[in-house]
Amino acid sequence: VLTTRLLPSDVIRHVASSGASAVVISNMPPGGQPQTMYLCRILRDQYPQLLIVVSRWGGRADYDERLVRIRKAGASYLTTTLAQTLAQLHASTDHDTAQVNAPEGSRV
């Protein structure tokens, strides 16, 4: 868990040093969208395979529009509840584990 007071460059350094395979960016309406999109862009540029989940808590208004914008910025998923966020992280982890453990030549 990182503080909102970190610069984006500090977030990048932390991801690099921790070896994280997933990042959750938490965002509370009504603000923070430009900063979230910027962080998604720089994370995606540095780490093309990184799972980036943006959790816009309670932000169900204009969901489809926000989803398109946040995906263009580099996010993997947009969630609005903790349950959705955890489910997405678990599903992605399960899929990655299945890929690693799959017999050679099989498709998961």
Side-chain angles (χ1 to χ4, degrees):
V1 177
L2 302 177
T3 177
T4 58
R5 294 189 174 127
L6 286 180
L7 295 172
S9 58
D10 294 330
V11 173
I12 294 290
R13 275 194 293 278
H14 184 76
V15 170
S17 68
S18 70
S21 60
V23 171
V24 176
I25 301 171
S26 181
N27 181 276
M28 291 284 293
Q33 193 76 5
Q35 295 88 346
T36 297
M37 292 176 67
Y38 177 72
L39 190 54
C40 287
R41 273 195 286 288
I42 64 170
L43 284 168
R44 182 59 61 218
D45 286 347
Q46 292 288 318
Y47 304 100
Q49 302 303 315
L50 183 68
L51 174 67
I52 303 171
V53 179
V54 173
S55 299
R56 185 153 171 92
W57 308 115
R60 293 185 184 104
D62 303 324
Y63 178 85
D64 293 335
E65 193 176 300
R66 287 184 193 282
L67 175 62
V68 170
R69 280 187 281 162
I70 206 75
R71 292 290 305 264
K72 282 183 182 178
S76 308
Y77 301 100
L78 174 64
T79 60
T80 59
T81 67
L82 181 58
Q84 288 175 345
T85 302
L86 292 174
Q88 196 58 63
L89 290 170
H90 287 292
S92 296
T93 302
D94 291 344
H95 183 265
D96 290 346
T97 302
Q99 289 284 71
V100 169
N101 295 328
E104 189 173 325
S106 67
R107 297 178 81 192
V108 178

